Amino acid sequence: MQAIILFGVLVLTYLMFVAKRMPVLIRSFRCQSFFLFLVTSIMAFDEHQLDLYIVAALLFVIKVLLIPYLLYRIMKKMRVSGDIGLFVNVQLSLLCALGLAYLAWIFSARLVAPSSQAQISILTIAFFAVLAGLFLMISRMSALAQIIGLLVMENGLFLLACAVSGGMPFFVEIAIFFDVFVSVVIMGFFVYRINKLFTHIDVNKLSNLKG
Amino acid sequence: MQIFFILGIPLLLSLATLLIRRQKILGIINCIGYLLVLFCGATLLGKTFLSKSTISFFNFIYMDTLSTFFIFVTSIVSFVVALYSIGYIKKDVEQGVISRRKARIYYLLFNLFCCSMFLVPAVNNLGILWVAVEMTTLISAFLVGFYNTKKSVEAAWKYIIICSVGIIFALLGTILFSYAFSISGLEKSLNWSSMVPVAHILDKNILKIAFIFILVGYGTKAGLAPMHTWLPDAHSQAIAPISALLSGVLLKTAIYAILRFGIIIIHGVGFGYFSNLMILFGAISLIISSGFILVQKDLKRLLAYSSIEHIGIIAIGFGIGAPLAIMGALLHVFNHAITKSLMFFGAGNIVSVYKKHNMNAIRGVIKAMPFTGVTVLLGVFAITGFCPFSLFISELMILTGAFTSGSYLVAGLLLLSLAIIFGAFIYHFGKMLFGNLPKEMIVTKEPLSGKFVFSFLLFLILIPGIGLIFINKDLLWIAQNLFQR
């Protein structure tokens, strides 16, 4: 069961590499978070821990419901086109994705003992999500895509924390969720301001400050 | 007990901004509040320093001399910033640059920002430490983009994105630390105080990888090159009092975080690994910043690059690791915070009179503003490490440490870049401070609170420098204790 869900996370991460428009990206982020929610709830069910149930519930409320809703709202309110603005075209992005996945696999295989195949695969997917987020932030021009990239990195870290140490301590987890939510709100606010001042959200064109 | 005051007073003050409407009263209350915080910070430092003990509450707060020292530095700088803000904000409101409502928002954000910075050195849990550092970024982004111009919003966006990505890597490092902790069969915990005693049995490879992530992550926040790209933008676009706070203490909170993990690394992997990485990043910072300082045209960017340089010196000081060098690095943290605040306040006054950042267009500051001009001149000598000022002492300590521990190459590099930066600073500021006034300039009087701030800061720059020449031997034991807890 868990393997299928993890495979889902992996596929969705690949999907983000080929997404050209914002709604697709937001939707795949939402699905990815939903799969993480499933992983956490299964873990909570196995270990009968109240903490994990609460973490799963928070994950659902914040990352599946609130943040995508917020992003959609920002997009609608600003009436910007949904294009992400690719620096790297889709085919090349997909090749990069393969390369990054391989890198993630090498890295996680070095990190844990080679006997535990299951753990290696979880770690690989987690690191791959982190790298995917980083790739999205670097290679996409829209400011909103950068926010999604950051969130994808955060998702990867969440999976990593689940895999390696059964999640962070409870109140740290809560604090991080709160933090992620606040950061999305604040970044959304700034995107809104950028749109108002510059009449675009193309990060590539933000180049007044140099030297 | 004092720590609750230190964390509570800024929170109460931020509540007060919602109730009190007059921004003048607000400024004065703020000042009194931060004076109290400063007092608490000093007693806290005295307590841990004299009794050589640690303070902890409920497994949540844990403070030793290192933490209380950083809290003390933060409290001094936040006090002078609160004092300087009164005059600065008043002038901005009078000139119509910001509205009265925005002045209150400024005080609200300022208090929250200070609170989050006080939280960083106080907490025990490394996860909460991460959250606190991220909170400092999120709150100060508003202060960077405060004027809502194209440039400042761009700077704020770069700041928030680059620092958030950096800090995500720090979280990755933190998770790997907890992984190293959990695979050695210990109970799950992210508390620093429970990690250090068992550091030597943790998996060495994982620790090494984790520390690289930590150094890249928190190093981004600390402004270590090559991850420094957000820093000149943010520091040059923020409001002058906030630039002082960003440069004086925000960077140091990130350095503090690196040191906390560094102590685990030193116990777990050995000193060489920590030392090499710190010296490497420090040296890159020195080289890059000295290059940019030479060719700089913008006054506040010049000061921002100078911060990168000093962060590099501090990193090198901790990296060398001889007790004298560690002591020097700690003192450098204090001295740089004070001196850079002075310089940013001076730059703020200059910019607000001349209305431009370009150094080639600014002439005759000493004639226009005699008091500010002279203090800035003294500040230039202080920040480049000229003799009677305290930065000279701390730099000398780091250099001596480097020579006695045999790192001649590092010492040579340090000396070379210090010389370059000294020349560049004298050149840039010589042109600005002296010379004739532009024709259309009208000379105005300077506010009293500003003068008081400058005198206070100058006092702080001079006295420890002279005092430490005589007593620095007695202080060495702190440095010796610091890494061997």
Side-chain angles (χ1 to χ4, degrees), chain A residues 40 43 47 49 51-52 55 154 156-177, chain B residues 125-131 167-179 182 188-191 195 218 261:
Chain A
T40 331
M43 228 164 75
E47 297 180 16
Q49 278 186 351
D51 290 7
L52 280 175
V55 168
E154 225 284 322
L157 285 188
F158 182 82
L159 193 60
L160 184 73
C162 275
V164 298
S165 55
M168 300 252 204
F170 177 59
F171 66 107
V172 177
E173 201 81 82
I174 302 282
I176 290 175
F177 273 128
Chain B
N125 189 303
L126 295 175
I128 298 293
L129 177 86
W130 182 84
V131 171
I167 215 94
I168 287 265
F169 282 113
L171 184 60
L172 179 55
T174 313
I175 293 172
L176 288 178
F177 263 98
S178 84
Y179 176 49
S182 71
K188 187 169 86 183
S189 160
L190 270 176
N191 282 356
M195 266 181 167
Y218 287 122
F261 284 97

Side-chain angles (χ1 to χ4, degrees), chain B residues 58-233:
Chain B
F58 318 117
N59 240 340
F60 179 70
I61 282 168
Y62 172 90
M63 287 176 298
D64 51 13
T65 319
L66 188 64
S67 336
T68 51
F69 176 72
F70 278 84
I71 288 177
F72 175 65
V73 173
T74 313
S75 64
I76 281 196
V77 176
S78 53
F79 168 64
V80 289
V81 169
L83 203 57
Y84 180 75
S85 294
I86 298 179
Y88 194 87
I89 292 297
K90 191 176 148 216
K91 200 182 69 241
D92 267 7
V93 170
E94 277 168 2
Q95 291 177 347
V97 182
I98 56 173
S99 63
R100 282 181 191 283
R101 193 171 147 270
K102 222 165 169 197
R104 277 166 63 200
I105 294 179
Y106 166 78
Y107 280 114
L108 175 70
L109 291 171
F110 167 69
N111 284 316
L112 289 176
F113 185 33
C114 285
C115 184
S116 59
M117 280 196 297
F118 283 123
L119 191 61
V120 173
V123 291
N124 187 2
N125 189 303
L126 295 175
I128 298 293
L129 177 86
W130 182 84
V131 171
V133 173
E134 175 71 358
M135 282 325 275
T136 59
T137 312
L138 295 177
I139 297 166
S140 54
F142 283 116
L143 290 165
V144 171
F146 195 71
Y147 284 137
N148 213 351
T149 58
K150 276 191 174 184
K151 278 186 176 177
S152 67
V153 169
E154 183 188 331
W157 177 257
K158 277 184 186 166
Y159 172 48
I160 199 166
I161 287 292
I162 296 175
C163 283
S164 297
V165 173
I167 215 94
I168 287 265
F169 282 113
L171 184 60
L172 179 55
T174 313
I175 293 172
L176 288 178
F177 263 98
S178 84
Y179 176 49
F181 199 69
S182 71
I183 56 165
S184 50
L186 298 157
E187 203 188 335
K188 187 169 86 183
S189 160
L190 270 176
N191 282 356
W192 185 81
S193 56
S194 58
M195 266 181 167
V196 173
V198 293
H200 55 279
I201 57 166
L202 300 179
D203 187 305
K204 286 194 173 43
N205 280 327
I206 294 177
L207 281 188
K208 277 183 181 175
I209 294 169
F211 187 64
I212 290 179
F213 282 117
I214 291 289
L215 199 56
V216 169
Y218 287 122
T220 309
K221 197 71 200 289
L224 283 173
M227 294 87 75
H228 68 281
T229 42
W230 62 274
L231 195 149
D233 298 343

Side-chain angles (χ1 to χ4, degrees), chain B residues 28 54-55 81 83 110 138-139 148 230 270 276 285 292 333 389:
Chain B
I28 293 168
T54 59
I55 301 171
V81 169
L83 203 57
F110 167 69
L138 295 177
I139 297 166
N148 213 351
W230 62 274
N276 289 340
S285 304
F292 275 103
V333 167
F389 299 102

